[in-house]
Amino acid sequence: MGSGKENRFFLEHSEAVLELFHSESPPEQILLARSRYSEEPSFWHELAQKRPSCTWYLLEDERLDKMVTVRSFGGVCGLFAPRPASESELREKRFLLLTWELQDPGNLGTLIRSCAAFTSGGVVVVGGCRLWSSKVARASAGSLLRVPARQIPLERGISFLKSLKSSQTGIYSTLPRGGRLLTRWKPAAHSAVVLGNETHGLTDEVQKFTEPLTIPRSLR
């Protein structure tokens, strides 16, 4: 699956856009507010020369404000077209985070940011809200473009779990109570943690592939 139009999205977060400018997932286009440009015109000219493949648009503040969905975006937006990781690439990761029918893009972005901060793993989004979106990218503070990630349809979720099982990956789920305490968990060499829907959690069909884990209220 390539970087088609369905994967393109605006990241409305100036620091994240600038941080990703020199990364392996740079923006295709940048929208810059005139007020931000006027503060350091030489800086923006030099930056534009470093990546000529990126198209720049200088917009009046009022016009750009009408295009974005957040107020405190810092006067810089970027249009990105990420490359989804392949399923084989993800299965080779030592750690995978799977979200199952997660509905809130803010929750998804926060989980991706945590995955990027604490692991070198990948993310598989099974159904739920759209992975490649400005809301997820903003909540992830740009981590969406630094973590190997892919979205698969809900109907393919079980077959993906089966493929992980066949490759000797330990699959775990999170439950509010009744699971093995996280403090006593010894993950497998290759592990996947499945997080369910905010309201309904995980179905019985999914849970039969997993070992349940519970985070204790107190770590004492």
Side-chain angles (χ1 to χ4, degrees):
M1 182 176 179
S3 297
K5 290 183 178 179
E6 68 278 5
N7 296 332
R8 285 180 167 81
F9 62 88
F10 272 105
L11 177 54
E12 302 163 346
H13 189 300
S14 64
E15 295 306 315
V17 171
L18 292 175
E19 181 181 344
L20 291 164
F21 189 80
H22 299 291
S23 73
E24 294 180 359
S25 300
E28 288 188 340
Q29 300 175 17
I30 288 183
L31 277 61
L32 177 63
R34 184 171 293 279
S35 62
R36 186 76 188 268
Y37 167 80
S38 300
E39 293 172 0
E40 298 178 286
S42 59
F43 167 79
W44 298 108
H45 279 290
E46 291 175 6
L47 195 64
Q49 292 174 358
K50 292 179 179 178
R51 194 174 286 279
S53 60
C54 178
T55 303
W56 291 71
Y57 296 93
L58 182 61
L59 302 176
E60 298 300 329
D61 290 38
E62 296 79 7
R63 184 180 178 188
L64 186 54
D65 287 343
K66 292 179 180 179
M67 297 175 63
V68 298
T69 60
V70 293
R71 292 184 179 180
S72 56
F73 67 99
V76 183
C77 301
L79 176 66
F80 290 84
R83 180 192 69 83
S86 67
E87 291 188 21
S88 59
E89 177 186 353
L90 290 165
R91 280 193 292 267
E92 291 174 358
K93 290 290 180 181
R94 295 191 62 182
F95 177 82
L96 277 182
L97 172 66
L98 276 76
T99 65
W100 205 278
E101 291 193 276
L102 209 67
Q103 298 300 315
D104 189 316
N107 290 343
L108 179 57
T110 300
L111 288 169
I112 291 172
R113 186 173 64 203
S114 298
C115 185
F118 298 109
T119 79
S120 57
V123 175
V124 178
V125 176
V126 183
C129 63
R130 182 169 170 257
L131 170 62
W132 308 110
S133 71
S134 58
K135 290 183 178 179
V136 173
R138 187 170 66 247
S140 76
S143 296
L144 174 59
L145 293 152
R146 294 191 290 268
V147 173
R150 184 180 186 87
Q151 184 158 27
I152 62 177
L154 180 61
E155 57 269 21
R156 290 208 57 249
I158 295 298
S159 64
F160 186 77
L161 289 181
K162 290 179 179 179
S163 72
L164 291 177
K165 275 285 188 183
S166 65
S167 64
Q168 305 302 311
T169 296
I171 307 176
Y172 309 90
S173 59
T174 56
L175 296 178
R177 61 191 65 83
R180 177 181 295 191
L181 294 181
L182 192 63
T183 51
R184 299 176 182 174
W185 176 42
K186 293 183 179 180
H190 288 261
S191 302
V193 174
V194 188
L195 302 180
N197 175 271
E198 294 91 338
T199 303
H200 307 294
L202 295 170
T203 65
D204 292 341
E205 185 182 16
V206 174
Q207 288 186 39
K208 73 179 183 181
F209 287 92
T210 74
E211 177 185 341
L213 300 174
T214 294
I215 300 175
R217 292 180 181 273
S218 173
L219 294 178
R220 294 180 184 178

